[in-house]
Amino acid sequence: MDTRMDAQQQQQALAIRQHLIDTQAGIERFLLTQPLLVPLQPSAIHPLQAVPRIVIRQMLSLKASNTIIARAEAKAAEQGVSGIADLSELDLISCGCSRAKAATITRFAESYYRYPDDIDNWQQLDCETLLKTITSHKGLGLWTASIVAMFHFAHEDLFPLGDSSLRKAVSLLGEHGVILVPERAAPYRTYLASYLWQLLDQARI
């Protein structure tokens, strides 16, 4: 058993993977090479802390984004502020953020401090409303909103078609005769996306 999961979670993870195998023709030989994905749980991290990290990660490699996040966290600790969101635009840029991302992060923080209840209420929203609410913030696009919904609030049925890595994975698997139809993976499309990202990270496709 995966030591990160109890017996119930293990059973759930197996059922999710089997659902993906049953609905995506030819994918079985790829998914069975992968460790089971731990069933999603809502994060205990506040959106004010989570969103800046997700914004920084957009369009960057994991290594590059981790470097910027580490610099920003160190800068926040040095200044005695609570997190990345409380840094100024200039500080964020000095840590390696683009001007656009720095502006998005500071605008989001300003919005939270003006209307905290609006963002504190995100956890109560259904997925469609959550996506619309997040993207109403200037600079937060559908990709960012989808990642927040998937991995911060544990919405299990999202497949961000605009993600370039997922498009690449669909194309590469197609060359191996795997016909991916994400709609058929409902209500577990988030796990399909996660397995595809995992396959790419491990250079299995």
Side-chain angles (χ1 to χ4, degrees):
M1 179 187 295
D2 189 319
T3 57
R4 296 170 298 170
M5 292 188 269
D6 60 26
Q8 183 177 359
Q9 289 174 315
Q10 185 89 359
Q11 185 176 13
Q12 182 184 358
L14 285 167
I16 291 169
R17 187 176 68 180
Q18 189 59 50
H19 175 76
L20 299 180
I21 288 171
D22 292 343
T23 59
Q24 308 299 312
I27 204 171
E28 179 175 11
R29 68 184 188 272
F30 293 96
L31 292 196
L32 291 180
T33 68
Q34 298 302 299
L36 285 170
L37 292 173
V38 178
L40 293 170
Q41 296 291 330
S43 171
I45 301 171
H46 192 276
L48 187 62
Q49 307 302 323
V51 169
R53 289 168 173 77
I54 293 169
V55 169
I56 290 170
R57 291 194 189 285
Q58 186 175 11
M59 303 296 289
L60 288 178
S61 69
L62 186 61
K63 181 179 179 181
S65 61
N66 280 345
T67 297
I68 294 171
I69 289 169
R71 288 175 186 161
E73 288 177 338
K75 178 78 73 173
E78 176 186 313
Q79 294 186 6
V81 296
S82 61
I84 295 173
D86 293 316
L87 294 174
S88 69
E89 282 190 45
L90 288 177
D91 284 333
L92 289 165
I93 291 168
S94 74
C95 294
C97 281
S98 68
R99 290 186 180 277
K101 288 184 178 182
T104 295
I105 291 168
T106 54
R107 274 196 307 266
F108 178 71
E110 289 165 3
S111 178
Y112 176 74
Y113 289 125
R114 282 199 305 269
Y115 309 107
D117 290 347
D118 290 350
I119 293 170
D120 289 341
N121 189 49
W122 281 5
Q123 62 184 331
Q124 309 297 332
L125 303 179
D126 63 77
C127 190
E128 183 178 355
T129 305
L130 176 63
L131 295 178
K132 288 180 180 177
T133 301
I134 295 174
T135 55
S136 70
H137 290 264
K138 186 176 180 181
L140 299 183
L142 187 56
W143 183 90
T144 300
S146 297
I147 298 301
V148 172
M150 294 162 79
F151 301 116
H152 188 72
F153 293 110
H155 288 281
E156 297 184 307
D157 196 28
L158 275 170
F159 192 90
L161 289 170
D163 183 89
S164 60
S165 294
L166 290 181
R167 293 200 302 270
K168 178 181 179 181
V170 170
S171 176
L172 290 172
L173 285 169
E175 294 174 6
H176 292 280
V178 180
I179 308 301
L180 288 177
V181 185
E183 292 79 7
R184 294 178 182 170
Y188 298 124
R189 283 179 283 183
T190 295
Y191 296 96
L192 176 61
S194 296
Y195 273 119
L196 297 184
W197 281 320
Q198 193 168 273
L199 286 166
L200 284 173
D201 287 344
Q202 296 178 5
R204 294 297 183 96
I205 53 176

